[in-house]
């Protein structure tokens, strides 16, 4: 999301979005009892993370009685729109959540984030407590603008009990995957649980399929707004593979939300679901053993099938904050090794702090997921963070129509190509 157009929204829309944050923004810097007040904006109003962050704020305030932290949170898609309006303004939160990749690039291009380099240079022990690959994801032109809170990867989670009952093994190739799905379907079950109501879930499937199918040089070139064309025939083939998988998914998938689908998978209604590593924290009610496998290699695909899709998530400090030292103290508390252990245990997240997941009381699968991310040779960035917002919108909305039978792979790519041309012309 490299363009700044998305931040330049109409004044009325900006005012509507800013109002809820105005009471706790950087400008409201002193609490009534003389404490310094900082604001914290994140995207987890749901459990278990909402309670986790509320508890962490309370603990921080107890240890730092001179600082009060005001918290606001909204869900994923609303957060993306809202934070881009308020970031860099006088009403910006002092500490804010950010995705890595082009999301942080766009915030930086709009002069919204504080350069963290001097702080990290001075506090080298804190800087070096993170896995380097996760820290580097928040650098723009060699400058650090964010810190990682959770490592993320996307994998197929599967019900080991069902697989053992049917004599199945985790597939590594597309043909093996289809054989597994056929066997499950023949046994009278829906093989894959999926909710495509929220378009970001589409981004994860399509982005991975694009990486698996399209020539790596073309795949990389199309991520540049100035050169992206999306004319390679591999993009159509990737969407055709998505259509093929949809035949093994639950009915009315475009009307089903991701959380509902995940709950259905946890309840054992389907043995396979494509989920993020962080979602392990929601699996407490699962009455079966589960495992994971990477997205299988696609027959005829030109991309590296060993790549993992995913990217770290993190926090940044607003450039307009009146209290950078207090914001840094808060982040150093949130991102300490002790907090990373708690984050892994309570939220099911994979902390990017060295040793945190290994020392946490978590399922063995969490350690395996963390090791997989740290040891990955390459990570495929989420599609909705890899391209300009106009391209993303065309891609996801048209693919959603395709999944409901109202669009074709060729039609999807025609719309994407039109959006890419507009982006190129404006570059």
């Amino acid at each position: 999301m490299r363009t700044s157009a998305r931040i330049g929204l109409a004044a009325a829309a900006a005012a509507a979005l800013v109002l809820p944050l105005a009471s706790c923004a950087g400008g409201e810097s002193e609490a009534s009892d003389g404490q310094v007040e900082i604001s914290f904006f994140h995207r987890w109003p749901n459990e278990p993370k909402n309670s986790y962050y509320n508890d962490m704020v309370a603990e921080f305030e107890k240890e730092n009685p001179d600082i009060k932290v005001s918290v606001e949170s909204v869900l994923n898609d609303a957060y993306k729109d809202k934070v881009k309006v308020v970031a860099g303004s006088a009403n910006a939160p002092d500490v804010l959540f950010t995705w890595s990749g082009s999301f942080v690039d766009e915030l930086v291009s709009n002069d919204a984030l504080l350069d963290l380099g001097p702080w990290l240079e001075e506090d080298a022990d804190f800087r070096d407590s993170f896995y380097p690959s996760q820290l580097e994801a928040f650098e723009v032109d060699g400058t650090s603008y964010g810190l990682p809170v959770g490592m993320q990867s996307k994998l197929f989670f599967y019900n080991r009990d069902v697989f053992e009952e049917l004599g199945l093994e985790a597939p590594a190739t597309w043909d093996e995957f289809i054989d597994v799905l056929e066997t499950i379907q023949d046994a009278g079950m829906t093989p894959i649980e999926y909710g495509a109501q929220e378009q970001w879930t589409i981004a994860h499937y399509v982005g991975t399929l694009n990486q698996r199918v399209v020539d790596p040089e073309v795949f990389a070139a199309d991520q540049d707004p100035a050169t992206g064309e999306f004319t390679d025939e591999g993009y159509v083939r990737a969407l055709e593979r998505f259509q093929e998988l949809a035949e093994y998914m639950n009915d009315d998938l475009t009307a089903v939300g991701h959380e509902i689908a995940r709950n259905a998978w946890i309840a054992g209604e389907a043995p396979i679901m494509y989920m993020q590593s962080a979602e392990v924290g929601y699996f407490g009610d699962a009455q079966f053993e589960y495992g994971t496998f990477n997205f299988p290699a696609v027959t005829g695909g030109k991309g590296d099938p060993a790549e993992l899709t995913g990217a770290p998530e993190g926090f940044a400090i607003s450039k307009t904050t009146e209290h950078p030292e207090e914001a840094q103290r808060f982040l150093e508390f949130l991102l300490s090794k002790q907090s990373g252990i708690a984050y892994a245990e309570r939220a099911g997240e994979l902390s990017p702090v060295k040793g945190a997941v290994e020392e946490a009381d978590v399922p063995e699968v969490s350690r395996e997921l963390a090791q997989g991310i740290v040891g990955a040779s390459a990570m495929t960035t989420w599609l909705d963070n890899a391209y300009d917002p106009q391209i993303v919108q065309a891609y996801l909305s048209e693919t959603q129509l395709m999944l409901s039978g109202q669009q074709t792979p060729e039609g999807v790519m025609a719309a994407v190509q039109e959006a890419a041309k507009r982006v190129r012309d404006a570059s």
Side-chain angles (χ1 to χ4, degrees):
M1 299 183 180
R2 298 174 176 82
T3 181
S4 61
R6 193 176 174 105
I7 294 185
L9 300 176
L17 289 170
V18 169
L19 281 174
L21 279 175
S23 62
C24 63
E28 300 289 332
S29 58
E30 299 297 331
S32 58
D33 57 3
Q35 295 172 307
V36 169
E37 181 174 356
I38 62 172
S39 53
F40 175 40
F41 189 28
H42 66 77
R43 68 174 187 88
W44 297 294
N46 50 354
E47 298 300 340
K49 292 181 183 176
N50 186 53
S51 293
Y52 170 80
Y53 280 111
N54 288 340
D55 291 346
M56 293 297 286
V57 165
E59 186 176 343
F60 174 78
E61 290 178 335
K62 184 177 180 180
E63 294 184 12
N64 298 269
D66 57 324
I67 303 175
K68 176 178 174 54
V69 181
S70 299
V71 184
E72 186 187 359
S73 60
V74 295
L75 281 172
N76 192 55
D77 290 339
Y79 182 89
K80 289 181 179 179
D81 290 332
K82 190 169 187 178
V83 78
K84 288 186 176 185
V85 172
V86 299
S89 73
N91 293 308
D94 298 286
V95 176
L96 60 149
F97 169 87
T98 181
W99 286 272
S100 54
S102 61
F103 192 91
V104 74
D105 287 352
E106 185 179 355
L107 293 177
V108 170
S109 71
N110 285 276
D111 205 26
L113 301 184
L114 185 70
D115 175 2
L116 304 183
W119 169 34
L120 298 180
E121 191 68 28
E122 181 179 347
D123 193 349
D125 288 342
F126 178 57
R127 178 196 65 202
D128 295 341
S129 68
F130 299 99
Y131 290 113
S133 64
Q134 305 303 295
L135 194 62
E136 290 164 3
F138 295 92
E139 293 181 358
V140 179
D141 296 329
T143 300
S144 296
Y145 289 97
L147 296 170
V149 64
M151 301 189 293
Q152 296 281 344
S153 63
K154 193 84 172 185
L155 297 158
F156 281 106
F157 285 76
Y158 69 97
N159 185 321
R160 286 187 182 274
D161 296 349
V162 171
F163 270 53
E164 289 178 8
E165 180 183 343
L166 298 178
L168 299 173
E169 295 183 358
T173 68
W174 192 260
D175 289 343
E176 291 173 356
F177 194 23
I178 297 302
D179 286 344
V180 165
L181 300 177
E182 287 282 356
T183 300
I184 295 170
Q185 195 171 68
D186 289 345
M189 291 179 280
T190 297
I192 302 175
E193 196 69 47
Y194 180 43
Q197 187 178 67
E198 296 102 337
Q199 292 182 349
W200 62 264
T201 67
I202 296 171
H204 293 181
Y205 264 106
V206 176
T208 306
L209 280 163
N210 284 348
Q211 182 277 322
R212 292 291 193 267
V213 175
V214 178
D215 180 273
E217 291 187 5
V218 174
F219 184 66
D222 283 338
Q223 293 185 40
D224 185 341
T227 60
E229 295 183 346
F230 298 89
T231 55
D232 190 281
E233 62 180 11
Y235 291 111
V236 171
R237 292 203 305 273
L239 290 170
E240 289 172 345
R241 297 290 75 76
F242 196 13
Q243 283 184 313
E244 186 176 3
L245 289 185
E247 296 298 318
Y248 300 96
M249 296 173 176
N250 46 286
D251 294 333
D252 301 322
L253 54 89
T254 57
V256 176
H258 178 75
E259 184 174 351
I260 292 173
R262 183 179 63 216
N263 289 340
W265 179 83
I266 292 171
E269 294 181 19
I272 302 172
M273 187 168 174
Y274 198 40
M275 289 183 281
Q276 290 174 235
S277 52
E279 295 183 75
V280 169
Y282 296 102
F283 295 173
D285 294 332
Q287 300 298 307
F288 54 84
E289 296 292 325
Y290 56 85
T292 65
F293 59 89
N294 198 1
F295 206 103
V298 178
T299 305
K302 298 179 180 179
D304 179 6
E307 280 197 24
L308 276 175
T309 291
E313 300 178 334
F315 295 117
I317 297 176
S318 172
K319 191 170 185 178
T320 60
T321 181
E322 296 181 0
H323 301 290
E325 292 184 7
E326 287 79 5
Q328 289 171 12
R329 281 165 60 186
F330 180 53
L331 276 186
E332 195 154 2
F333 174 84
L334 279 185
L335 303 177
S336 68
K337 184 176 182 180
Q338 182 179 353
S339 297
I341 292 172
Y343 199 39
E345 292 178 345
R346 292 188 52 189
E349 281 276 4
L350 305 177
S351 170
V353 177
K354 297 173 182 176
V357 175
E358 289 78 3
E359 296 181 26
D361 182 12
V362 295
E364 184 59 32
V365 67
S366 293
R367 296 187 182 89
E368 294 172 359
L369 291 168
Q371 292 167 3
I373 294 171
V374 173
S377 59
M379 300 289 290
T380 303
T381 303
W382 314 119
L383 180 149
D384 49 348
N385 282 346
Y387 304 133
D388 181 273
Q390 295 182 68
I391 296 171
V392 171
Q393 182 57 38
Y395 227 136
L396 302 189
S397 60
E398 295 296 320
T399 303
Q400 193 173 51
L401 290 174
M402 183 193 79
L403 291 172
S404 63
Q406 301 175 66
Q407 182 57 284
T408 65
E410 293 81 3
V412 172
M413 293 316 303
V416 171
Q417 290 160 12
E418 290 178 8
K421 185 179 185 306
R422 292 195 298 272
V423 172
R424 288 198 310 275
D425 290 345
S427 296

